[in-house]
Amino acid sequence: MVAPPIRARWRATLSRTIAPLALAALCGGAWAQPSYPTRAITLVVPFAAGGPTDVVARTLGASMSKTLGQSIVVENRTGAGGTLAPNHVARATPDGYTFLIHHNGMATAPALYRKLPYKPLADFDYVGQVADVPMTLLGRKDLPPDDMPTFVKYAHANAGKLNLANAGPGAVSQLCGMLLQEALGVQLTAIPYAGTAPALSALLGGQVDILCDQTTQTIPHIKAGNVKLYGVTTLQRIKTLPDTPTLDESGLKGFEVKVWHGIYAPKGTPPAAIETFNAALRAALKDPAFTRKMAELGADIVPPEKQTPQGLQTWLQAETEKWGAMIRKAGVYAD
């Protein structure tokens, strides 16, 4: 038998080499990156540098980069009550190099903004949840009540006179205030500020009466005696304030508000990238450096079932329904 010409053999070899690669590309879509990630990944934060969500993002990014072998660059895109960043990520190229970390605002935005340019439940893929941060109910240092039962009586006796600071439309402090008014059955005067820091500063300066704010901001002032602490907003007492009753214990049955954080990707991000990023997330949530920092902030790492894409999706759906109903009932909108 005569061997085929060299050119024919070369063509046959090339065909056998290219065909499987072409099939793999067709099966895997346009994304074929066997060594993902090959460059830095951007993690977009809707709030200013140094704020609570930014602190979580930067600490998390440092831990996740150990697993990914690439750096995570935190990008702060602030404005419009935390809606600019999600809108940016929803329209980003879904290549596995842009992600979003956001808190409760992902669940409340559809009700707060009647002309929201993106759909939180439809325009993103899910990675997983990160950590929950308790809230604390504080009063200015010279507010007469010394504990929550006394505060409840005081609020009823001074209906319409007490004011309540918050960090602006869509902030968790605003949601906490709405739930507080409903639980008390008392109307309070809401005073919005442009962020957590100025709202807390107003309380410390005595310009406002009360504030719901997360432990990441309040624990130093609580320990320094700069404010009055009426309770925590979780259903169980927290490790950083073990002697402080919950609002549920103090008579506001079922009262629960916490700041939760989730990671999202643009819709259509390759499943392999989501899987890799989720694996790095789960590894970071076991990293002693990350868990230690979260403990210092009073934050709790979410349980394993919430660290998954499905866990985040299920939680976002439930929170959207819960807060949407309350916001629509109150008729409070940000636009």
Side-chain angles (χ1 to χ4, degrees):
M1 182 175 179
V2 179
I6 292 176
R7 179 173 293 181
R9 293 200 303 272
W10 178 81
R11 285 176 177 170
T13 301
L14 186 63
S15 176
R16 289 194 298 271
T17 302
I18 292 176
L21 293 175
L23 180 60
L26 287 172
C27 294
W31 195 80
Q33 299 188 37
S35 58
Y36 169 86
T38 59
R39 55 185 170 87
I41 296 171
T42 298
L43 182 60
V44 182
V45 178
F47 309 106
T53 303
D54 179 76
V55 171
V56 172
R58 292 179 187 275
T59 310
L60 181 67
S63 291
M64 289 181 67
S65 64
K66 299 175 186 177
T67 301
L68 294 168
Q70 294 288 344
S71 60
I72 293 181
V73 179
V74 173
E75 178 182 325
N76 301 90
R77 282 187 172 260
T78 63
T83 62
L84 287 184
N87 191 41
H88 168 75
V89 173
R91 284 155 178 72
T93 302
D95 58 3
Y97 288 93
T98 303
F99 291 87
L100 168 74
I101 183 169
H102 205 346
H103 64 24
N104 313 48
M106 278 293 272
T108 59
L112 280 171
Y113 294 87
R114 290 163 290 189
K115 296 180 180 179
L116 194 67
Y118 60 91
K119 297 178 180 178
L121 288 167
D123 292 346
F124 300 89
D125 285 327
Y126 304 88
V127 177
Q129 290 188 63
V130 182
D132 294 334
V133 183
M135 303 284 283
T136 48
L137 178 62
L138 308 176
R140 54 180 166 83
K141 188 176 181 179
D142 57 351
L143 198 66
D146 290 322
D147 54 35
M148 191 60 193
T150 308
F151 174 81
V152 172
K153 296 177 182 177
Y154 183 83
H156 280 273
N158 292 271
K161 297 178 183 178
L162 280 174
N163 55 50
L164 167 67
N166 66 57
V172 185
S173 55
Q174 183 203 29
L175 304 177
C176 184
M178 290 172 58
L179 188 61
L180 179 65
Q181 291 178 78
E182 183 174 282
L184 290 173
V186 173
Q187 186 70 37
L188 305 172
T189 301
I191 302 180
Y193 287 85
T196 300
L200 182 57
S201 293
L203 183 75
L204 294 172
Q207 285 88 46
V208 293
D209 297 315
I210 53 174
L211 169 70
C212 280
D213 200 2
Q214 54 189 298
T215 54
T216 50
Q217 301 290 303
T218 63
I219 284 180
H221 297 289
I222 291 169
K223 292 184 175 180
N226 298 329
V227 293
K228 284 195 173 179
L229 173 61
Y230 293 125
V232 295
T233 65
T234 47
L235 293 179
Q236 290 80 37
R237 296 192 183 195
I238 63 175
K239 295 177 182 178
T240 47
L241 298 169
D243 298 326
T244 303
T246 67
L247 298 188
D248 175 80
E249 283 181 71
S250 298
L252 303 187
K253 295 301 180 183
F255 195 103
E256 182 182 25
V257 181
K258 54 189 175 184
V259 183
W260 54 271
H261 303 81
I263 297 180
Y264 309 82
K267 192 72 174 180
T269 296
I274 297 288
E275 183 178 349
T276 299
F277 209 66
N278 175 261
L281 168 65
R282 287 184 283 110
L285 299 185
K286 297 177 182 177
D287 181 2
F290 181 75
T291 57
R292 184 167 53 250
K293 180 63 175 180
M294 292 302 100
E296 290 173 2
L297 298 174
D300 295 316
I301 305 299
V302 298
E305 62 270 18
K306 286 189 174 185
Q307 298 172 14
T308 65
Q310 185 58 54
L312 174 57
Q313 183 176 12
T314 300
W315 181 257
L316 179 63
Q317 179 71 55
E319 286 287 282
T320 299
E321 293 172 0
K322 169 186 173 180
W323 291 108
M326 183 172 296
I327 290 167
R328 287 188 288 270
K329 179 181 177 181
V332 178
Y333 302 103
D335 58 5

